[in-house]
Amino acid sequence: MTVDERIIVPLDVPSLSAALALVDQLPQVSFWKVGLELFVSTGPAIVQELKARQKRIFLDLKFHDIPNTMAGACRMAAAQGIDLITIHGAAGKTALMEAQAGVIAGAAGVGVPTPMVVAVTVLTSIAPQALSLELKIPLDLPDYALQMALLAKDSGLAGVVCSPQEAGQLRRFLPADFVLVCPGVRPTWANANDQQRTMTPAQALQAGATYLVIGRPITAAPEPAAAFDRICAECSTALSS
């Protein structure tokens, strides 16, 4: 897998027309993230448009519900040809297993590849103090992220979403093919924005990330295509050194 294939760019825009304009502006991007705002606005239409352009799709809706509901949602998502789906690890093992069973059934029903299901460990907008003081989680943040990752693995999921700062630790305890999707990735020349636990793209890949989710440093740049190419070049140089 080449570096450019490992970078997922979010379509964090409010309409179908704005999303497609961004896709057309970045033809070299092969993997796009569809989140809550865009999916609520457009529904499956954005998925159909991206599939027609032969793009890979990361459906980042972070399902978190009772097991039966999560299974049904994942089954329907898989039937649309989604490549990567997020669910919340905090939903518990039964829900995670049901979600995995749902994608298998949904994909098989229409004859498409089974999408990867990844569990959110800790949102990258949550600082360690918030985990302790606001959510009352008794574990340190890295330990809690590891617990969620091990739960995902034991539930048969493909991987997890984690901060790049936790990627190195998770890699020590998890198989090489266990997928780590890392948001909170910012080049040194970009603002951190609302991310609390960040790392540069090259550092994240060196730490063991499989995929990097990089949004505003690319999409808000004066020249998005140039920003994407710059990130790919920096990552390639770091990995080959």
Side-chain angles (χ1 to χ4, degrees):
M1 185 163 51
T2 60
V3 167
D4 61 293
E5 293 172 328
R6 298 174 68 171
I7 297 176
I8 303 172
V9 179
L11 285 169
D12 289 338
V13 292
S15 68
L16 183 62
S17 59
L20 296 180
L22 189 55
V23 172
D24 292 340
Q25 194 175 9
L26 287 160
Q28 67 269 63
V29 175
S30 61
F31 212 154
W32 292 94
K33 180 174 84 73
V34 175
L36 285 166
E37 180 183 13
L38 184 59
F39 195 80
V40 169
S41 170
T42 69
I46 182 59
V47 173
Q48 295 163 4
E49 291 285 354
L50 290 172
K51 295 295 290 184
R53 288 164 170 77
Q54 298 183 319
K55 303 297 185 180
R56 300 183 72 197
I57 303 170
F58 173 19
L59 188 64
D60 186 27
L61 303 185
K62 301 181 180 72
F63 299 136
H64 188 174
D65 214 306
I66 62 173
N68 185 64
T69 299
M70 287 178 64
C74 287
R75 185 170 61 251
M76 293 298 100
Q80 293 183 38
I82 301 298
D83 298 281
L84 184 61
I85 299 169
T86 49
I87 63 178
H88 268 288
K93 188 172 185 178
T94 299
L96 270 57
M97 294 176 67
E98 288 292 320
Q100 181 61 30
V103 296
I104 293 172
V110 296
V112 298
T114 302
M116 296 176 285
V117 179
V118 293
V120 175
T121 55
V122 185
L123 294 172
T124 53
S125 59
I126 294 178
Q129 297 86 348
L131 189 74
S132 173
L133 298 177
E134 297 175 16
L135 302 183
K136 306 301 180 185
I137 302 295
L139 298 175
D140 290 338
L141 195 150
D143 293 334
Y144 183 69
L146 176 59
Q147 173 60 32
M148 290 292 100
L150 293 173
L151 178 64
K153 175 182 173 294
D154 291 344
S155 302
L157 270 57
V160 294
V161 180
C162 66
S163 160
Q165 292 187 1
E166 284 95 61
Q169 174 181 315
L170 298 188
R171 270 287 165 246
R172 292 196 294 272
F173 291 94
L174 294 160
D177 61 351
F178 192 76
V179 173
L180 301 183
V181 180
C182 293
V185 177
R186 292 287 185 270
T188 55
W189 39 268
N191 294 325
N193 299 116
D194 56 356
Q195 303 290 352
Q196 296 294 321
R197 308 192 318 280
T198 66
M199 190 175 283
T200 69
Q203 289 171 335
L205 291 176
Q206 289 170 332
T210 311
Y211 294 103
L212 309 179
V213 181
I214 308 175
R216 281 166 284 191
I218 296 170
T219 59
E223 297 183 23
F228 180 82
D229 291 342
R230 180 179 178 182
I231 290 171
C232 290
E234 289 177 2
C235 289
S236 296
T237 299
L239 292 177
S240 61
S241 61

